[in-house]
Amino acid sequence: MENSESKPVGEKNKYYQLFQKVSDANISDIEKTQEYFKDLPELPQDAFQAAIAIRHFLIKTGFVYDERVFKLQDMVQQKRGNCLGLSLMIGSLLYERGVQPHYEIITTPKDAVYKQELKLFEELKRGDHFNYDNPILPKINDQTEHSFYRFAPIQHPSLILSGRTFETTTLEDIEEDPGWSPEAESRISATFEAVASHVYLQQAKEMIESNKYDGEQIKKICNKTLELWPNNREVYSLLWSLAKDTKDMELQKRTFEKYTEIGGDDSRF
């Protein structure tokens, strides 16, 4: 594996540049990223072991998992990141060292959260949490426990290195083996560009959720997403919802046709 004496996020690193672009990072953000990773040690030749070394560096420098943080500049500033941001960050660092990262996008990982949700649904069916004769939701002062749940089918990116899945969300225990992957409804191979397209997509979703958005601006962001991955099914779903809200029948019809053309057999389809 090539190991350069230069900073690990350089001008010739197309993946780092793409991560920078979709995050809308400025010059100051880039300099902070370069400064942060300047002490990243020489990496092992094996791609999987190299990713473990990056993971160890992140943990030792105080990095933690945070499902809300996915832009490059926010990750470096806060030392936090979710599966999307971490997959792109680690992938771009590996590419700098001569590794071609591969990815997999899985739908509805049947992980600990998924199993806990099934358990909760069984409890609700039994009436453990409320009285069916008086179905009033309990007052909850502490939301911490309930923020653990998702209650929706999600998509999750994973790195594939040396033929093995590398899970990026395990930053709590440095000794934990990241070489695992939960069962899931579906799995598709993906490129760095396809995963990076979700940074744009997530920004568009956040704009819609804020209820203070410009429909034309969201369309522009979605078009950028599709330039990176034309078959990003979730973009067409978002555009269809936007078209429905704005009564744009032409866009609604076009996005529905494209969405069904891509298809799928998972619970997000």
Side-chain angles (χ1 to χ4, degrees):
M1 183 187 302
E2 178 184 350
N3 187 68
S4 171
E5 294 292 332
S6 62
K7 293 177 181 178
V9 280
E11 295 179 358
K12 295 182 180 180
N13 187 333
K14 65 177 182 179
Y15 287 161
Y16 170 69
Q17 290 179 330
L18 179 55
F19 191 17
Q20 164 197 331
K21 180 181 178 181
V22 297
S23 299
D24 196 25
N26 58 36
I27 296 297
S28 174
D29 297 324
I30 296 165
E31 290 173 349
K32 288 176 184 176
T33 306
Q34 292 174 330
E35 178 66 22
Y36 184 77
F37 286 110
K38 69 180 177 60
D39 295 324
L40 181 67
E42 182 174 346
L43 301 179
Q45 293 290 323
D46 178 76
F48 193 88
Q49 293 303 317
I52 288 179
I54 295 172
R55 174 180 178 271
H56 284 186
F57 175 83
L58 291 173
I59 293 173
K60 289 176 179 177
T61 54
F63 229 89
V64 297
Y65 179 80
D66 189 327
E67 63 181 15
R68 300 163 297 179
V69 184
F70 57 92
K71 292 182 183 178
L72 175 63
Q73 63 272 26
D74 296 336
M75 293 174 68
V76 173
Q77 180 180 353
Q78 302 175 33
K79 291 188 178 181
R80 295 172 175 271
N82 65 7
C83 58
L84 173 58
L86 286 166
S87 294
L88 294 171
M89 176 178 281
I90 293 174
S92 63
L93 289 168
L94 289 172
Y95 184 77
E96 188 80 18
R97 300 311 211 276
V99 173
Q100 178 67 54
H102 297 280
Y103 291 90
E104 192 173 63
I105 296 177
I106 65 179
T107 299
T108 311
K110 298 181 180 180
D111 54 9
V113 176
Y114 173 84
K115 292 173 183 177
Q116 193 65 23
E117 287 173 348
L118 292 182
K119 179 175 178 292
L120 177 60
F121 281 127
E122 288 301 317
E123 292 171 357
L124 290 169
K125 284 163 61 178
R126 292 198 305 265
D128 291 356
H129 294 271
F130 60 88
N131 187 329
Y132 276 98
D133 293 329
N134 186 27
I136 299 175
L137 290 174
K139 293 182 179 179
I140 302 171
N141 295 321
D142 183 3
Q143 296 291 331
T144 303
E145 177 187 350
H146 294 268
S147 64
F148 175 77
Y149 300 107
R150 292 188 294 255
F151 299 119
I154 67 163
Q155 287 189 312
H156 173 75
S158 294
L159 274 160
I160 307 297
L161 304 168
S162 303
R164 300 174 61 191
T165 300
F166 185 93
E167 179 54 52
T168 61
T169 60
T170 56
L171 295 182
E172 293 82 10
D173 181 1
I174 199 169
E175 299 299 329
E176 185 172 352
D177 180 9
W180 60 274
S181 180
E183 293 182 35
E185 288 183 349
S186 65
R187 298 175 183 272
I188 58 171
S189 297
T191 62
F192 187 96
E193 291 82 0
V195 176
S197 74
H198 284 79
V199 176
Y200 280 141
L201 176 60
Q202 189 59 38
Q203 292 178 62
K205 286 182 177 179
E206 289 183 352
M207 289 178 67
I208 287 182
E209 289 170 0
S210 71
N211 291 322
K212 299 176 182 178
Y213 63 85
D214 180 339
E216 292 305 313
Q217 181 63 23
I218 290 177
K219 290 178 186 177
K220 289 180 181 178
I221 294 175
C222 287
N223 286 334
K224 290 180 180 180
T225 306
L226 294 172
E227 287 174 6
L228 292 175
W229 189 23
N231 282 341
N232 190 326
R233 189 183 66 185
E234 298 303 305
V235 178
Y236 293 105
S237 174
L238 186 148
L239 283 171
W240 183 89
S241 297
L242 178 65
K244 183 173 182 291
D245 291 342
T246 57
K247 295 180 172 54
D248 186 339
M249 301 302 293
E250 180 183 348
L251 179 61
Q252 194 173 350
K253 179 177 182 294
R254 188 167 70 248
T255 53
F256 176 80
E257 289 174 348
K258 187 61 181 178
Y259 183 87
T260 52
E261 177 187 327
I262 296 171
D265 58 359
D266 55 71
S267 55
R268 289 193 68 88
F269 181 67

